[in-house]
Each structure stands twice: as C-alpha cells, then as structure tokens.
Amino acid sequence: MEEVRNQQIILQNYVNGFPKESDMLLITSSAINLNLPEASNAVLLKNLYLSCDPYMRGRMSKSQGSYFDSFTPGSPIGGLGVAKVVDSTHSNFKKGDLVWGGIRWEEYSIINDPQILFKIEDTDVPLSYYTGILGMPGLTAYVGFYEICAPKKGEYVFVSAASGAVGQLVGQFAKLSGCYVVGSAGTKEKVDLLKNKFGFDEAFNYKEEQDLDAALKRYFPDGIDIYFENVGGKMLEAVLSNMRINGRISVCGMISQYNLEQGEGVHNLSQLIAKDVRMQGFLVSRYFHMLPKYFEMIMPLIKQGKICYIEDFAEGLESAPAALVGLFSGRNVGKQVVAVARE
Amino acid sequence: MEEVRNQQIILQNYVNGFPKESDMLLITSSAINLNLPEASNAVLLKNLYLSCDPYMRGRMSKSQGSYFDSFTPGSPIGGLGVAKVVDSTHSNFKKGDLVWGGIRWEEYSIINDPQILFKIEDTDVPLSYYTGILGMPGLTAYVGFYEICAPKKGEYVFVSAASGAVGQLVGQFAKLSGCYVVGSAGTKEKVDLLKNKFGFDEAFNYKEEQDLDAALKRYFPDGIDIYFENVGGKMLEAVLSNMRINGRISVCGMISQYNLEQGEGVHNLSQLIAKDVRMQGFLVSRYFHMLPKYFEMIMPLIKQGKICYIEDFAEGLESAPAALVGLFSGRNVGKQVVAVARE
C-alpha cells in the first residue's frame, strides 16, 4: 500500500475584485494511497499540467450567475489539466493512460465522475498542448470563429486579447481563411508577437490608445466584419461603432469585466440594429462533441508547422496562484500553463 | 393647369433629448401643380395616411450614426405613408394607383425616385393598414420573430412595448406558433388590451414594477427563450439575466434610449456567454424582398379575423407633430397613424 503526500492549492475565501495570490494557499493534505479501493469506480490521476483560464475567476466568487459552480473555500481549486492515470477502477481508463480534462489543483486527484476526462491518443505533440491548442482553448477558438462567425475570404477580423491562448489561434485561423486580421494586446512584446510570430496583418497595444474608436477606424477604415470578443467593456463599445453590415460578434469572454463590482456599461447596442449585427455568446463546454472534427483539422496543421502556438510555463504547483492571478493583469505571454510534474 | 395649396410639416431645428411639438411647424408652401411636367420621371401623390414610427427620432438629430439620413431643418419630415397617385410620368405607376412607402409629411408629394413605393394591390382591407400590419411594422414583426428568432412550439416569449404597432403582432405571431407569450407596456389600458384583445398569456405594466428582474422571474420562472427587443436599457439588462440556454434576442428597436444624450449602459452582457444567447439586430429595410411571402401569410389571417390590429388615429396633417411626439411618452394605444385625407 504505497502512500504519497498530496500537496494542494486551496481557495482560502471567496474573492471580491482582483484575485490575489493570498486568496489561495498551498497545503499538504493527508497522504494519498496510490491504489484505489477495488469497490470504487474512479480514476486516480497524477497531475502533470494545469491550465490557467480566465473563466476560473467566476468560480472564485460566491455563485451569482457565473457559468459554473463556485469553488468551495477550503477545498482545492478545480480546473482543466493533463494527467497520467496511476490507477483506475473505471472501465474507460487504465493505468498508464494519459488524459486531459477536469482535474483539481493538487499533485494527485481522485476523479469519481470522469465525464469530462478525455483520453489522449496522440502523444506525438507536447502533452501540455492538451491544456491549450488541443484542449478547451483550441476548441473555443475553433467553435467561436468557424461555427459562430462563419468567416468568408477577404473579411475584416478583429481579435482582442489576441496573444492569449484563444486569441493567437483565432488570428491564425483567420489568416488560413483568407481574412485580414488585426489583434489587440497589452504590451509591446505581445504586439510584436502578433505581427511577427502569429502572422496578424496588424496589431496594436490597447493601453497606448487614448481613443479605441479612433484606433479601430485607423486599422479598419472600411469597418469590421468579424469580432472575436475576449475582453468586453470599452473595447466592445468601440467595436460596435465600427461593425460592418451583417457583422458577427462571437462572445467568448469578457476578461476586462470579471473583477469589477459591476460590469462597465455598453451604451451603443443600438448599433446592432443599424448594421444587422449578430452577437452570439457561447460556452465551449456545450461543444465538446466537436472535438474530433477539430482535431482532424488542427493536428495536421501542428505537425506540418503551419500553426504556431506559444505557452507560458510556471514551474511547480506552488507557482500556480501567481500564474492564475497574472492572467488578469496580462502578465502571461501566450497560454498560461503550470507544470506540476513532467511525467 | 390646376394648382392646389400644399401644407407641410417641416423640421424647425435638429432635436436634442425628447422631441417637442414645437420642433416641427405646419407651413403652407408654394402651390403645387397637379400635372407633372411631361419631361419628368416622377410620381405626384396625394397623401392619405402618415405613419408615426419610433425610428424617426434618429432622423431628427444631426446625423451621428443613425440608421438613416437626418431630416433637413426647414424641409418637410420624411416618412412612410399611404397615398393616391394623382399624376405619374413614371412607367411603374399610373393615375389612380394606391401606393404605400416613402413619402413626406405634406398634402402632396412629388417623388422623383420611387424606389420604396409599393403599389397596393389588395384594397379589401383598411388602407391605413399599409402603414402598419401590411407595411413596415408588419414586416418588422414577421422578420424579427420568424426569421431571426425561429420560434419553436412551447417556447417562452417576451415582448416589450407590446401594444405598439410591432409588439401587438409579435405577440399574436407567438400565440399562432404555440408559444407562451408575455408582454410589457406602460399603462393599465395597454396591459388590458394585451391580455383581452391580443391574447397574450400575461402582461404587466413596467412602470409599476420596482424591480424588472423580479417581474420577469415572476412571469418566466423557467426563463425566456425569445425576447423581441423594442426598448433597450434597463429592460434589456433584466431580460439578459433571465434568458434560457440557446435563447434568441431579436433587436428591433430601443425606444427608451433614443432621447438620451448617452444610452443607458447594459452591464451584464456576459450573460450571452453563460447561456449561449444570440442577439441579432436588423433593419427591416433590408428585408423588403420578403414582403410577398409575408403578405401570403398575413392577408388570410386578417380576412379570417384571426389577427387583431389596433390603430390610433390622429386627424389632419396639423395633428402630426403631437402624434409623433406622443410615441416617446407612450401616449398612443396601438399603431399611431395620421389621417391627412381619407381619399
């Protein structure tokens, strides 16, 4: 009966406003037995990579209409990640399998209801990719861009938070579709990445623009056909004033709003009428059935080097709180991952 | 060479805030010759019914991204209406034809470019209906409800400004589609109409509700599938908090916002994400090609008495300014029409 320690990151208390590292705590819980009881129907995981995602902010507040249930103070943070099956009494998984999906922020997780645990079939790519381009953010970019915006060649596409896990893919999908694409980000380094690494036609630092409306008019003198919305608030307002007729807005996230007591108001929604604009929100968890279709498209692109994907690694479970908090000040460059263990 | 006087309603100056009667003026312009010059390519109309529509407010301001061009101070108000062709040098029209479409607020209009003038084929219905149920508002209700919201039997539908020209039709379309429909309006009289005349399942007076969110929760304990948006602002915010998964919002108008210096902010757009909600704006002028299809549906319903339609008549061109202004305080009950002449 082999037992190991199990360090965990727990939520200390519900969060108001910007989350701080001290809202979370690294603890060593009681030791965990590496063999599951025979009577169980569960999977025991050794966690390798944790995914830091903006939607997690909502789960740190006492539930008030967030997309998902709140975390429980005193219990480990839940999230997506990549893990290795150490033991399994569940018929879908066996020892040695690699999986991605819903895990917890700890060294080992026992998952009793492995409904959102997907077996990793292709290991010919970095395993951490299953927290990003081959996981939830990748599918998000795919669904939000292709399914919801139905891009046509030559259309004008704008992506906010464009160097993030989702945005960097949307921009590249737009180029693959023959669109003109502009991204916004919050540092010069990120703007350079967008233009030189991800192949955006143009990019700008929104923090350096006094007038977002004027900035968009500069990059889109003929207006925007497709907006991939990651930030909300003032940026959305500026975009609404610059949409073209029959424009589409895929509402993926609104990270600028998550830490505000009350969201910023959007004052010009009547632009939707003037331009016959469609604004469609979506939760990627309702589109997991499309993963096989997405993989069919994305795997060859990755293997042929036709798509570029940048990750930002934090090392060790202890670095996870800072990594998560950093998302909301834009500290990460590319997809924020926490490497708990490499194998 | 018969000449007649031509009274007109002109815009005095661009309007800020709520329009007043005194923003418009009744004048007698130079007399008009009832025979068009042979060299022209125009239609001379005797105007019968003028349509008062909320979108006209935008045209009273100096253009700032309204849907249509501004009116010109000193010139007659432009709008939709029903008229009789008095003379025509245009091949599509002949003397005696009845038409509806783009005219001006005056006794006689010379239309040089009759692109949005439609010949009235069926006179077996009240002619004034072509300003409403058989005109732009009718097509608006049809497009916004059937085309944009794609209703399914049993769905929960909410309509704001529900006793207006568009709303009263949307509610009845919803019942014809087997939906449950609730409407809001601003007086007890209108609420009674909604329930007793138009067949809404429920209706409430939004002015008597302290908390619109609570009101909607009362009428839609299971949430709203379809919202037909006529008002914007606080009502939209309350609706967003009560949408169901895969809900649809047809954005037809935002009358509560038209007279404000800056629109009220909508603070909870992230609800679009949480519920996979689609919000689609539209301008009915882009759907005029669907008129024949709409007429095919609506004409039998009218003639069989299966649809109810209420108009509010103001008599005489001189009553037009008050009638238009009244839209924005909700004075009208049903479609506001100005009867300039009856034949």
Side-chain angles (χ1 to χ4, degrees):
Chain A
M1 225 175 70
E2 194 186 352
E3 284 203 339
V4 291
R5 74 156 191 192
N6 192 21
Q7 291 199 315
Q8 303 179 313
I9 304 288
I10 61 164
L11 181 70
Q12 296 233 63
N13 277 299
Y14 289 124
V15 173
N16 293 311
F18 272 82
K20 305 175 299 297
E21 287 184 50
S22 59
D23 292 324
M24 292 162 272
L25 186 68
L26 179 75
I27 65 161
T28 301
S29 75
S30 51
I32 196 165
N33 188 328
L34 288 184
N35 298 302
L36 290 166
E38 269 180 39
S40 65
N41 186 25
V43 188
L44 174 60
L45 301 175
K46 181 183 185 197
N47 296 319
L48 305 179
Y49 298 103
L50 308 180
S51 181
C52 295
D53 298 296
Y55 82 88
M56 297 170 73
R57 173 63 188 84
R59 303 190 66 186
M60 300 176 94
S61 298
K62 208 172 158 85
S63 184
Q64 27 178 309
S66 173
Y67 321 151
F68 301 107
D69 292 342
S70 296
F71 296 136
T72 307
S75 292
I77 302 283
L80 296 167
V82 172
K84 195 160 84 178
V85 176
V86 174
D87 194 14
S88 172
T89 49
H90 190 282
S91 57
N92 291 358
F93 301 93
K94 63 174 199 299
K95 187 174 168 171
D97 281 350
L98 290 162
V99 295
W100 75 270
I103 60 169
R104 289 186 294 275
W105 283 23
E106 55 195 355
E107 291 174 292
Y108 294 90
S109 294
I110 295 173
I111 307 293
N112 287 307
D113 182 17
Q115 271 195 338
I116 46 168
L117 222 45
F118 304 95
K119 215 177 288 191
I120 292 176
E121 309 286 356
D122 192 330
T123 57
D124 206 14
V125 288
L127 277 184
S128 57
Y129 276 21
Y130 288 94
T131 67
I133 186 170
L134 294 173
M136 184 273 283
L139 185 64
T140 298
Y142 178 75
V143 167
F145 187 65
Y146 288 109
E147 291 294 311
I148 290 182
C149 294
K152 289 190 285 287
K153 193 176 166 183
E155 285 193 317
Y156 299 106
V157 176
F158 178 55
V159 187
S160 54
S163 71
V166 175
Q168 56 174 286
L169 296 175
V170 174
Q172 294 178 82
F173 293 166
K175 289 314 297 173
L176 290 169
S177 304
C179 299
Y180 174 86
V181 60
V182 178
S184 65
T187 67
K188 185 183 179 308
E189 180 191 5
K190 293 178 183 178
V191 168
D192 289 345
L193 269 180
L194 292 178
K195 290 198 280 194
N196 303 326
K197 191 101 185 160
F198 298 129
F200 283 63
D201 294 289
E202 287 290 348
F204 66 90
N205 182 346
Y206 71 91
K207 289 180 181 164
E208 284 181 353
E209 300 291 340
Q210 297 297 310
D211 180 343
L212 291 173
D213 179 58
L216 291 174
K217 285 196 165 46
R218 206 163 66 231
Y219 290 106
F220 296 99
D222 295 321
I224 299 168
D225 292 297
I226 290 176
Y227 173 46
F228 197 100
E229 165 68 306
N230 286 313
V231 303
K234 288 185 175 42
M235 184 65 93
L236 175 56
E237 208 166 85
V239 168
L240 283 169
S241 298
N242 286 282
M243 290 301 287
R244 303 183 83 189
I245 288 173
N246 294 322
R248 289 138 276 156
I249 299 177
S250 176
V251 188
C252 169
M254 295 194 167
I255 195 172
S256 76
Q257 307 297 297
Y258 296 163
N259 299 308
L260 306 178
E261 192 72 19
Q262 189 189 31
E264 287 177 309
V266 172
H267 300 83
N268 58 347
L269 284 166
S270 60
Q271 290 292 328
L272 296 175
I273 306 171
K275 308 283 182 56
D276 283 34
V277 170
R278 174 161 58 81
M279 207 167 155
Q280 166 91 56
F282 71 105
L283 271 193
V284 71
S285 50
R286 303 200 179 103
Y287 290 86
F288 277 152
H289 61 276
M290 296 192 72
L291 268 170
K293 194 174 161 202
Y294 170 57
F295 271 38
E296 222 168 89
M297 179 199 98
I298 199 72
M299 276 295 187
L301 291 174
I302 295 175
K303 292 184 178 174
Q304 294 158 23
K306 289 192 179 148
I307 205 139
C308 161
Y309 182 64
I310 290 188
E311 298 171 287
D312 191 334
F313 282 100
E315 292 296 328
L317 185 63
E318 66 279 10
S319 69
L324 180 57
V325 167
L327 284 183
F328 300 100
S329 58
R331 212 185 52 184
N332 58 305
V333 178
K335 167 68 190 180
Q336 181 67 59
V337 184
V338 177
V340 180
R342 297 281 177 172
E343 59 179 344
Chain B
M1 224 173 73
E2 195 188 349
E3 285 203 336
V4 291
R5 76 159 189 191
N6 192 22
Q7 290 198 316
Q8 303 180 313
I9 303 288
I10 62 165
L11 181 70
Q12 296 233 63
N13 277 298
Y14 289 124
V15 174
N16 294 310
F18 271 83
K20 304 177 299 296
E21 287 184 49
S22 60
D23 292 324
M24 291 163 274
L25 188 67
L26 178 75
I27 64 161
T28 302
S29 76
S30 51
I32 196 166
N33 188 327
L34 287 184
N35 297 301
L36 290 166
E38 269 181 39
S40 66
N41 187 25
V43 188
L44 174 60
L45 301 175
K46 181 184 184 196
N47 295 320
L48 306 179
Y49 298 102
L50 307 180
S51 180
C52 294
D53 298 296
Y55 81 88
M56 296 172 74
R57 173 62 188 83
R59 302 190 67 187
M60 300 178 94
S61 298
K62 210 176 156 84
S63 183
Q64 27 176 306
S66 172
Y67 321 151
F68 301 108
D69 293 342
S70 295
F71 296 136
T72 307
S75 293
I77 302 284
L80 296 168
V82 172
K84 193 161 86 178
V85 176
V86 173
D87 195 14
S88 172
T89 50
H90 190 284
S91 58
N92 290 358
F93 301 93
K94 64 176 196 301
K95 189 173 165 171
D97 281 350
L98 289 163
V99 296
W100 74 271
I103 61 170
R104 289 186 295 274
W105 282 24
E106 54 195 355
E107 291 175 290
Y108 294 90
S109 294
I110 295 173
I111 306 293
N112 286 306
D113 181 17
Q115 271 194 342
I116 46 168
L117 221 47
F118 305 95
K119 213 178 289 190
I120 293 176
E121 310 286 357
D122 193 330
T123 56
D124 207 14
V125 289
L127 278 184
S128 57
Y129 276 20
Y130 288 93
T131 67
I133 186 171
L134 293 173
M136 184 273 282
L139 185 64
T140 298
Y142 178 75
V143 167
F145 185 65
Y146 288 108
E147 291 293 309
I148 290 181
C149 293
K152 289 192 284 288
K153 195 177 164 181
E155 285 193 316
Y156 299 107
V157 177
F158 178 55
V159 187
S160 54
S163 72
V166 176
Q168 55 175 288
L169 297 175
V170 173
Q172 293 177 83
F173 293 166
K175 288 314 299 172
L176 289 170
S177 304
C179 299
Y180 175 86
V181 60
V182 178
S184 65
T187 66
K188 184 182 179 308
E189 180 192 3
K190 293 179 184 178
V191 167
D192 288 344
L193 269 181
L194 292 177
K195 289 198 280 193
N196 302 327
K197 189 100 184 161
F198 298 128
F200 283 64
D201 294 288
E202 287 289 349
F204 66 91
N205 182 345
Y206 71 92
K207 288 179 182 165
E208 284 181 354
E209 299 291 340
Q210 298 296 311
D211 180 341
L212 292 173
D213 179 59
L216 291 173
K217 286 194 164 48
R218 207 163 65 231
Y219 291 106
F220 296 99
D222 295 322
I224 299 168
D225 292 297
I226 290 176
Y227 174 46
F228 197 99
E229 165 68 307
N230 286 314
V231 303
K234 289 185 176 39
M235 185 65 93
L236 175 55
E237 209 167 84
V239 168
L240 283 169
S241 298
N242 286 282
M243 290 301 288
R244 302 183 83 190
I245 288 173
N246 294 321
R248 289 137 276 154
I249 300 176
S250 176
V251 188
C252 169
M254 295 194 167
I255 195 171
S256 76
Q257 306 297 296
Y258 297 163
N259 299 307
L260 305 178
E261 193 72 18
Q262 189 189 30
E264 286 177 310
V266 172
H267 300 83
N268 59 345
L269 285 165
S270 61
Q271 289 292 329
L272 296 176
I273 306 172
K275 308 282 183 57
D276 284 34
V277 170
R278 173 161 59 80
M279 206 168 156
Q280 165 92 55
F282 71 106
L283 272 192
V284 71
S285 51
R286 302 199 179 102
Y287 291 86
F288 278 152
H289 61 278
M290 296 191 72
L291 268 170
K293 194 175 161 202
Y294 170 57
F295 272 37
E296 221 167 274
M297 178 199 100
I298 198 74
M299 275 296 185
L301 291 174
I302 294 176
K303 293 183 179 175
Q304 294 158 22
K306 287 192 181 149
I307 206 140
C308 160
Y309 181 64
I310 290 188
E311 299 172 287
D312 192 334
F313 283 99
E315 292 296 327
L317 185 63
E318 64 279 9
S319 69
L324 179 56
V325 167
L327 284 183
F328 301 99
S329 58
R331 212 185 52 184
N332 58 305
V333 178
K335 167 68 188 179
Q336 180 67 60
V337 184
V338 178
V340 180
R342 296 279 176 173
E343 57 178 347

